[in-house]
Amino acid sequence: MSDNVHPLRTVHVGTRRAEVDEMLAPVIDLLWRNGFNTLTSCQDAGESNASWVDILPHMSAYVEARRGWAFIDFPLDDGLSLLTALADAGPRDAFYARMTHWAAPDAWDVKVRPRDVAMSAWPQPSKFVIRLLQVCFPVTDLPEIERRLRRHQTGESVAPAPIDWTTVGRSHPEPVSFAPTPAARASAAAPVLRATESSGRTWDDLDPETLADLLAGLDRTHRHLIVERLDLAPRDQHYLQVYRNDDRSFQVEFREGGEDRHYCAYLPPQPETASVDVMLDIVTGWATDRPAWRDTLQWFPWRT
């Protein structure tokens, strides 16, 4: 309901060119360079809409609440991809909590709002569609958004880890420290193992070569392999699972006797043979009680 109130800067990337609010210009530039399409944006929704109050007094609370808050509108898929990129390009810290949790201080306001096509062409019959996703955030988050977009542009990502929920009243999980595993006695019998593929096929007392083949065969169709220790009690409570993600990273879990002794770790994407070698070392170390087998990865309690 008013002309643009903020200074403008020209953003020009390839064939895209637009005049945008100067505070948002660096972010819009990075978004375009990363392939994200944008629609409209504003560096301070409260300032831009202050004139509404003269005509619509009930909007005063909205205007005051949006001072110091910027927004960017995206086509739906671009908006979702942008949120994913920001989450992957940094730690799951207080910034991540603001992005994702409604109760965090200064929590982002992310909206997907249906729109009736008749609103812009009244003779048409009503039909509601979803065309955009709006991301509204405090302007104090602009520097971190820029940092994460630069990391995304260079292909950097941060390995998944437990989320720091301290700003919403939850404790921050710490990595687990394990006591050194004693060396197995030479006279000890070899553990009894059973490996189960995602197809349900099982292998008993498999040799390292077969285990390596099973790990190398994990793909988008056959994603996981479970290896059980059948010589330990209680049954079904001593196992290790390897899960292959779409980006060729791996999630690893192991349980040592019960739900309170269940741990998980993450192996970032690596060359195919390197990933198999690391996984084989972890699985064989776990299966044979090899000292320090846990030291390869950082482990956290499962579902903290």
Side-chain angles (χ1 to χ4, degrees):
M1 301 183 72
S2 63
D3 295 333
N4 195 84
V5 299
H6 302 126
L8 300 175
R9 275 181 51 188
T10 301
V11 177
H12 187 190
V13 177
T15 59
R16 303 181 187 181
R17 185 185 186 93
E19 300 291 315
V20 301
D21 289 356
E22 64 175 359
M23 286 180 61
L24 290 182
V27 168
I28 299 298
D29 182 273
L30 285 166
L31 288 169
W32 289 359
R33 292 184 189 280
N34 277 281
F36 299 113
N37 295 304
T38 60
L39 299 173
T40 55
S41 62
C42 177
Q43 72 181 38
D44 191 306
E47 291 177 352
S48 290
N49 296 313
S51 61
W52 286 26
V53 178
D54 295 334
I55 302 172
L56 303 173
H58 67 277
M59 292 297 296
S60 59
Y62 170 88
V63 168
E64 290 306 312
R66 282 296 178 259
R67 290 189 185 276
W69 285 68
F71 71 81
I72 303 175
D73 293 339
F74 299 88
L76 182 59
D77 288 344
D78 290 87
L80 294 174
S81 296
L82 178 274
L83 293 172
T84 300
L86 292 178
D88 285 344
R92 292 172 174 172
D93 54 7
F95 175 88
Y96 175 88
R98 288 194 295 278
M99 283 180 55
T100 58
H101 200 295
W102 64 272
D106 289 330
W108 290 16
D109 187 9
V110 179
K111 294 179 179 177
V112 178
R113 180 169 294 172
R115 178 179 175 84
D116 187 358
V117 297
M119 292 173 65
S120 55
W122 67 262
Q124 296 188 45
S126 289
K127 180 181 179 181
F128 282 80
V129 295
I130 296 177
R131 291 180 176 167
L132 66 83
L133 181 147
Q134 183 179 91
V135 181
C136 189
F137 53 88
V139 294
T140 50
D141 277 340
L142 280 170
E144 181 63 15
I145 293 172
E146 293 178 34
R147 278 192 290 270
R148 295 193 180 210
L149 284 172
R150 291 191 186 96
R151 292 190 196 122
H152 179 73
Q153 189 175 13
T154 60
E156 296 180 58
S157 63
V158 174
I163 301 166
D164 183 355
W165 290 127
T166 53
T167 57
V168 294
R170 303 183 195 171
S171 60
H172 183 207
E174 298 295 336
V176 179
S177 297
F178 297 95
T181 303
R185 295 190 301 271
S187 59
V192 178
L193 298 180
R194 173 169 294 160
T196 304
E197 298 181 280
S198 57
S199 65
R201 185 180 181 185
T202 61
W203 303 74
D204 285 349
D205 291 332
L206 64 173
D207 56 47
E209 290 75 19
T210 302
L211 179 57
D213 289 342
L214 293 175
L215 291 169
L218 295 177
D219 55 26
R220 295 190 179 189
T221 302
H222 304 286
R223 288 185 177 271
H224 72 262
L225 179 71
I226 300 173
V227 185
E228 300 174 78
R229 288 279 298 266
L230 304 180
D231 59 327
L232 299 176
R235 289 291 296 269
D236 302 325
Q237 294 298 312
H238 293 268
Y239 60 84
L240 183 146
Q241 174 174 287
V242 179
Y243 184 92
R244 182 190 186 278
N245 297 312
D246 288 343
D247 62 355
R248 296 169 65 180
S249 64
F250 287 88
Q251 181 171 309
V252 194
E253 304 169 33
F254 75 92
R255 179 173 289 203
E256 291 185 326
E259 186 175 350
D260 61 333
R261 298 278 295 166
H262 194 139
Y263 308 99
C264 63
Y266 174 80
L267 178 68
Q270 300 182 35
E272 194 71 31
T273 55
S275 294
V276 172
D277 290 344
V278 173
M279 287 296 102
L280 181 63
D281 184 68
I282 290 172
V283 177
T284 56
W286 166 83
T288 59
D289 290 326
R290 189 179 67 232
W293 69 267
R294 301 179 182 87
D295 295 349
T296 304
L297 300 176
Q298 189 175 57
W299 300 92
F300 292 89
W302 176 240
R303 298 197 185 283
T304 52

